[in-house]
């Protein structure tokens, strides 16, 4: 009586799983791998990013920056770094004298992104900065100006632009696999349980779920539709009596309008688990769920409930993390601009400010300068 | 490498598929089945509703009302109705003299609901009226007043209140199967291809996708959360150059806020197919897709991508159509109020007017009288 909604059909391409996709990023092959300094040895820098250098072709770990000297020495030792590759936040600026470091990757809480990006640029280093780029438009503009003044590259850690399923969904959308895309739905959230987390402290995070998972919802709406939104309308719901949410928002729901008439319905929250992107077209749909996880993402393409599981050509390929690390390395080597530059982070931050303003003022905020 | 997201687990209850669920509606057993007159022999009345009397315990077809005498005679003959059970719109008011008709079921275009409901009440008949109840709050109020003055029952054709999956999802939500419900997502749409359809003519429909599939999105948000919304924020996107959309809207996206802090994100459209309800709680989720179809609905319950397909206890049971026909019949026999009364239709219509107003004015509209 009940039929599994989604047939699992593995394409022939699935046989190619594991094939590297570095070529997709137009990599040049420099004589040496570029050296990264990881700023911030929290769980993301330490557990997610640093292990990924093993999957990189053009990048290697060259230094660590931490407020915890014991942890810094332990990580350095584990990865064969010399003592000259260990920095504290106090000694960070002396990284200018370390020729082994080409790129500084800022993995700090949001409110510290601007300061460390600017210090890195002033130290003559290229910068990869985690998303959200910063906590205000003004900070983003200062970061772009600092990198420009130092003639250094600035890239934002929008890893989904290097994630095989998201790339394939973008390609399918552009080539009309679902017809004309009319609506994109993007939902990201998780149950944030620990009231002590820095992400719940406004001084460090700059905001709640929007500044965390919400950035994925916003980014996905933009890269899936492939246009810039012209208006945003947002609503917030937060239980301020909940000890987790005394400083930042729990839940935001927002609509983006695009020049073609397409709309996006986005959502972020800290009180339920959700990770999904859906593209609705007039001839079918493309669905990713989970959509933007570190791994294990899945995609379905089809129409009217008869959707096929689809694997990207070549399979999941190189990890998204190694992809972004190597992308900036090859951009530095070749002089090209990163596909997710500081300007891209600034675009999101302008919309983030408009989302908060719309929710606060209870009205639609235009993004195209019209009244 | 890829795992089907949703395991299909048929519960033991599945073995009970087909068991009737009339008892759930607290049916009394009158000596005779109550007689329905179907007003409007369009595809819904003719192809969807009339065949369902075969599944009814307390209801039977007693008369038809149509502007097409040939069609009316054909349908009457096919169902063994006497010539006295055939009405035109001109002769409709004489139905007061037909003791074989207890209930009039209005299956006409939206803009005719009020007139025929009021005429039926004045003819001394109880009324089942299709949704949306009417095209304005004022019409809804007039319909309620007319039925009250005539001491007749008024029920709105919200069939999902008799649909086993939706009922089970409501029960699961209320009993905490997904924890505290924080967000409900409800998406309903289809590709409306024929520009000649009455649903695209404002004089008959009163509006576009909101007055069609959007009513399902709105209703689901309310019955799944089990509260009345206090604010609505809506946006519309319609290509007015598209010949289908010269008079009515294509796409609406709206957020509802509820007293508990739960939110609902709803959507309706005429340019992509979608039929889905998702309840997100802090301990899991309940998903229906398709959610509100005539049949073939499905439900998944679980968390974090490991969801189980769930069948309602007793299986899909009696059809939702027979369920609603028999519900009103038993309400009439027992003197009880229908669970989806005219007041319920009026509540939706107040929100519908607020959705249109919010989209038009670009601001949040309060529904609770606050500024």
């Amino acid at each position: 009586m009940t039929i599994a909604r989604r047939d699992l059909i593995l394409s022939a391409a699935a046989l190619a799983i594991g094939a590297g996709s570095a070529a997709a990023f137009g990599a040049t092959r420099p004589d040496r791998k570029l050296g990264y300094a990881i700023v911030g040895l929290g769980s993301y820098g330490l557990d997610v990013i640093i292990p990924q250098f093993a999957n990189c072709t053009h990048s290697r770990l060259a230094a660590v920056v931490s407020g915890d000297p014991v942890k810094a020495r332990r990580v350095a030792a584990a990865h064969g770094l010399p003592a000259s590759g260990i920095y504290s936040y106090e000694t960070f600026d002396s990284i200018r004298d370390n020729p082994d470091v080409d790129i500084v990757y800022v993995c700090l809480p949001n409110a510290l992104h601007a300061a460390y990006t600017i210090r890195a640029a002033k130290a003559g280093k290229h910068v990869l900065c985690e998303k959200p780029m910063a906590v205000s438009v003004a900070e983003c503009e200062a970061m772009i100006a600092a990198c420009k003044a130092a003639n250094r590259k600035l890239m934002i850690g929008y890893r989904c632009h290097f994630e095989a399923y998201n790339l394939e969904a973008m390609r399918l959308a552009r080539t009309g696999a679902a017809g004309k895309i009319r609506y994109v739905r993007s939902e990201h959230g998780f149950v944030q349980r620990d009231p002590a987390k820095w992400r719940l402290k406004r001084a460090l995070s700059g905001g709640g779920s929007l500044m965390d998972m919400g950035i994925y919802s916003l980014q996905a709406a933009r890269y899936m539709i492939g246009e810039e939104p012209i208006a945003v309308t947002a609503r917030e719901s937060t239980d301020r009596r909940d000890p987790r949410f005394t400083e930042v928002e729990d839940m935001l729901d927002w609509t983006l309008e695009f020049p073609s008439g397409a709309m996006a319905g986005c959502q972020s929250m800290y009180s339920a688990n959700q990770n999904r992107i859906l593209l609705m077209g007039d001839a079918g749909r493309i669905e990713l769920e989970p959509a933007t996880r570190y791994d294990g993402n899945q995609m379905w393409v089809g129409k009217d409930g008869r959707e096929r599981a689809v694997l990207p050509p070549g399979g999941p390929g190189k990890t998204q993390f190694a992809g972004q690390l190597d992308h900036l390395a090859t951009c530095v080597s070749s002089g090209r601009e990163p596909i997710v530059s500081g300007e891209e982070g600034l675009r999101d931050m302008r919309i983030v400010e408009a989302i908060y303003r719309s929710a606060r003022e209870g009205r639609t905020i235009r993004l195209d300068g019209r009244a």
Side-chain angles (χ1 to χ4, degrees), chain A:
Chain A
M1 306 304 282
T2 301
I3 300 164
R5 181 172 61 136
R6 290 159 175 166
D7 299 327
L8 183 67
I9 300 178
L10 298 181
S11 71
L15 301 173
I17 285 174
S21 60
F25 305 118
T28 60
R29 300 239 166 209
D31 292 323
R32 68 172 186 94
K33 291 182 174 183
L34 297 200
Y36 271 86
I38 302 298
V39 185
L41 296 179
S43 62
Y44 194 76
L46 190 57
D47 302 329
V48 179
I49 296 301
I50 288 179
Q52 291 294 332
F53 287 106
N55 299 316
C56 286
T57 309
H58 308 290
S59 314
R60 65 189 166 80
L61 181 65
V64 292
V65 185
S66 173
D68 180 341
V70 175
K71 186 194 275 188
R73 278 196 297 272
R74 178 168 55 78
V75 174
H79 293 85
L81 300 184
S84 60
I86 300 175
Y87 296 87
S88 69
Y89 296 118
E90 290 71 31
T91 64
F92 173 66
D93 300 303
S94 69
I95 207 163
R96 78 175 68 238
D97 304 318
N98 188 341
D100 209 33
V101 172
D102 303 282
I103 301 167
V104 165
Y105 189 168
V106 180
C107 296
L108 295 167
N110 307 339
L112 302 172
H113 289 182
Y116 280 83
T117 293
I118 292 168
R119 285 169 71 177
K122 287 186 174 170
K125 306 304 181 186
H126 304 281
V127 182
L128 178 53
C129 179
E130 255 315 299
K131 40 133 217 63
M133 181 171 172
V135 298
S136 71
V137 165
E139 282 190 347
C140 293
E141 289 172 338
M143 293 158 78
I144 291 169
C147 291
K148 192 172 181 185
N151 196 26
R152 300 290 91 176
K153 303 289 184 200
L154 172 56
M155 172 168 153
I156 311 304
Y158 288 126
R159 60 182 169 78
C160 294
H161 290 261
F162 305 91
E163 198 280 327
Y165 287 90
N166 283 267
L167 289 170
E168 179 63 1
M170 286 184 231
R171 190 191 69 78
L172 290 169
R174 303 287 188 278
T175 54
K180 183 178 180 184
I181 300 297
R182 294 291 290 138
Y183 192 92
V184 166
R185 179 72 193 161
S186 189
E187 297 159 350
H188 287 82
F190 66 96
V191 182
Q192 180 72 269
R193 299 195 186 279
D194 180 5
K197 274 271 169 64
W198 70 259
R199 290 194 172 278
L200 299 174
K201 309 300 172 193
R202 179 169 295 277
L204 288 171
S205 62
S209 67
L210 177 58
M211 295 296 273
D212 184 357
M213 300 298 284
I215 296 293
Y216 291 96
S217 291
L218 172 57
Q219 264 281 308
R222 291 178 55 240
Y223 62 68
M224 290 301 182
I225 293 178
E227 303 172 30
E228 290 304 312
I230 55 177
V232 59
T233 310
R235 296 303 292 164
E236 184 204 322
S237 179
T238 303
D239 180 357
R240 294 293 176 185
R241 299 160 304 179
D242 186 317
R244 298 171 299 171
F245 304 125
T246 55
E247 298 187 17
V248 300
E249 83 279 358
D250 171 11
M251 189 156 58
L252 274 164
D253 196 70
W254 69 96
T255 302
L256 298 170
E257 293 160 68
F258 293 85
S260 67
M263 296 178 86
C266 300
Q267 195 246 24
S268 67
M269 59 159 70
Y270 272 154
S271 57
N273 293 340
Q274 188 69 356
N275 192 304
R276 176 174 179 261
I277 301 170
L278 171 67
L279 291 76
M280 303 186 206
D282 63 2
R285 61 190 207 175
I286 301 166
E287 185 168 8
L288 293 92
E289 184 171 15
T292 63
R293 293 239 170 104
Y294 295 169
D295 54 37
N297 295 326
Q298 296 185 57
M299 178 163 56
W300 288 264
V301 178
K303 61 186 296 185
D304 296 346
R306 299 303 300 170
E307 296 168 52
R308 291 183 310 117
V310 170
L311 280 167
K318 192 170 184 172
T319 79
Q320 55 193 319
F321 302 100
Q324 75 173 5
L325 291 166
D326 274 353
H327 177 69
L328 180 54
T330 59
C331 284
V332 166
S333 298
S334 66
R336 286 183 301 132
E337 270 306 291
I339 59 171
V340 278
S341 64
E343 281 73 16
E344 179 69 4
L346 171 60
R347 282 183 204 108
D348 274 351
M349 194 53 53
R350 286 200 174 111
I351 303 169
V352 163
E353 289 192 352
I355 290 170
Y356 282 128
R357 185 173 164 210
S358 173
R360 201 168 54 238
E361 299 183 4
R363 65 184 184 90
T364 298
I365 303 293
R366 300 290 308 194
L367 298 164
D368 57 0
R370 288 169 55 190

